[in-house]
Amino acid sequence: MKNCKQGISFIILFFFCVGCSQKSSLEWIPFDWVGDTISGKYVEKAYIYIPVKIEDLPHDFTVQLDLGTYQTLVYGNAINPFLEAYPSLADKYEIPFLKVDLQMGAVRFNAVNMGYYNGVGDTIPKDSIHTKTPKHIGTIAPDMFQDKILIIDYKLARLAVVDSLPIEYKDLPAVEFEEDEGTVKLPFRINGKERKLLFDTGSSPFHLATTKERALEISTSVITDSLSGPLWWGNEITFYGLEINKPVEFGGQVLKNGMVYYDKDGLWNEVFNSFDVWGLTGNAYFFDNIVLIDYKNKLFRIK
């Protein structure tokens, strides 16, 4: 009987060890959903802001996760007072980059090349740099994640960066995507036709955005929403929203009907043409999901 008990104990211990070995080793980085009032309408999930530390400065900063642009940037107007206050930080600036160590959550990214974008961002008065309010100083782009896997947990507002696919996501189906200097082009099926969409986390409220002509082809053609403001790198722009009434599919799954937007003056048409895409999709389709972007193998997964 004693030997039997020892055998049972060994089995329990074995499965306990196996369970522990399969637990995720992810270092999650928290992010914040930041709301904004646009055209008098409050958009609860307008931007993804990641709290960061720069070097060993005793200040809190935020950066926006913007996967629709090429390069990680620091805004000149916002960072200039800190460059003046900290010579050690100024020494890290060599035109056109500020090369610094960033800490996001408990994860440290060494020698990050942040492109210095002069004349952009909110100007921070010198007497305000020591206040406790986090200062918004730039954007994080896909160049931070090349040859890595970026995991975005929209529901729990956190992300992770890993070298290989974690075991808990091994069985998820994957969709191949095209890459253009780091930006991701996803293969959607819209109204029965294959379309490439730029995946842009900086365009959070949009299910779809495209040209006016294309938007009218898949919608009720009745404007039911509008968004106006400095929505494109500080430039004033107006978007009109229409209810989608044609099927939209991704990865073999039919997505819930949403809204398709176009900008009144066609300013984004040039963007779509330059990326050679039908349009773009933001975060709106994925608010309840975990998204894995495998930049190394060009694979996109959804849980």
Side-chain angles (χ1 to χ4, degrees):
M1 191 70 179
K2 183 178 179 180
N3 290 336
C4 181
K5 286 182 179 180
Q6 287 177 338
I8 293 172
S9 298
F10 174 79
I11 293 171
I12 293 172
L13 179 61
F14 171 77
F15 282 108
F16 176 78
C17 292
V18 170
C20 287
S21 67
Q22 292 182 345
K23 283 185 178 178
S24 174
S25 59
L26 295 176
E27 292 186 276
W28 288 107
I29 299 167
F31 66 77
D32 296 315
W33 283 113
V34 176
D36 196 6
T37 299
I38 306 172
S39 300
K41 173 185 174 182
Y42 184 71
V43 180
E44 184 179 4
K45 296 179 177 179
Y47 317 108
I48 293 176
Y49 277 16
I50 306 171
V52 298
K53 291 281 191 179
I54 297 180
E55 296 288 324
D56 295 317
L57 269 58
H59 303 289
D60 294 321
F61 301 96
T62 61
V63 289
Q64 182 182 0
L65 181 65
D66 188 357
L67 300 184
T69 189
Y70 297 118
Q71 187 180 59
T72 294
L73 297 173
V74 61
Y75 303 149
N77 290 347
I79 200 65
N80 283 343
F82 296 94
L83 294 176
E84 294 176 11
Y86 296 96
S88 61
L89 181 64
D91 289 342
K92 303 282 185 176
Y93 174 53
E94 185 174 343
I95 298 174
F97 295 107
L98 182 67
K99 192 171 186 176
V100 294
D101 294 343
L102 289 182
Q103 184 167 323
M104 298 192 291
V107 183
R108 196 170 183 89
F109 297 83
N110 296 319
V112 176
N113 272 326
M114 303 185 76
Y116 177 88
Y117 201 171
N118 196 24
V120 174
D122 294 332
T123 300
I124 299 174
K126 291 181 181 180
D127 59 359
S128 297
I129 68 173
H130 294 288
T131 60
K132 292 184 178 181
T133 304
K135 309 301 187 296
H136 187 62
I137 52 106
T139 61
I140 295 294
D143 56 345
M144 285 276 293
F145 312 117
Q146 294 309 295
D147 295 324
K148 305 284 185 180
I149 299 174
L150 172 64
I151 305 173
I152 307 173
D153 186 339
Y154 283 99
K155 203 164 188 179
L156 296 181
R158 59 185 186 173
L159 56 87
V161 182
V162 294
D163 292 313
S164 58
L165 189 65
I167 190 169
E168 61 265 43
Y169 303 116
K170 292 283 187 182
D171 295 330
L172 291 180
V175 176
E176 293 185 6
F177 63 77
E178 292 182 25
E179 191 175 7
D180 185 346
E181 295 189 39
T183 58
V184 169
K185 299 178 184 179
L186 296 178
F188 270 58
R189 187 172 178 83
I190 301 174
N191 196 20
K193 297 179 180 180
E194 303 298 323
R195 305 295 191 186
K196 289 184 291 186
L197 297 180
L198 179 69
F199 179 59
D200 182 11
T201 58
S203 301
S204 189
F206 298 144
H207 291 94
L208 297 177
T210 187
T211 67
K212 179 179 179 179
E213 180 183 19
R214 294 166 184 164
L216 292 173
E217 290 175 353
I218 64 165
S219 70
T220 60
S221 304
V222 177
I223 296 173
T224 58
D225 191 24
S226 65
L227 300 172
S228 297
L231 302 175
W232 188 25
W233 293 97
N235 296 318
E236 291 289 328
I237 191 169
T238 297
F239 288 94
Y240 293 135
L242 316 171
E243 292 186 8
I244 298 170
N245 65 358
K246 296 295 190 295
V248 178
E249 302 170 62
F250 179 67
Q253 300 295 317
V254 178
L255 304 178
K256 293 181 180 179
N257 285 345
M259 301 281 290
V260 58
Y261 288 81
Y262 66 88
D263 79 89
K264 182 182 70 172
D265 299 313
L267 298 176
W268 274 24
N269 294 3
E270 184 179 340
V271 176
F272 303 141
N273 291 335
S274 65
F275 281 99
D276 188 27
V277 292
W278 183 90
L280 64 80
T281 185
N283 301 313
Y285 274 129
F286 310 108
F287 282 151
D288 294 324
N289 299 108
I290 298 174
V291 162
L292 296 91
I293 308 171
D294 185 341
Y295 286 96
K296 185 184 299 184
N297 300 299
K298 296 181 176 55
L299 297 173
F300 194 97
R301 295 176 172 86
I302 303 175
K303 180 178 180 182

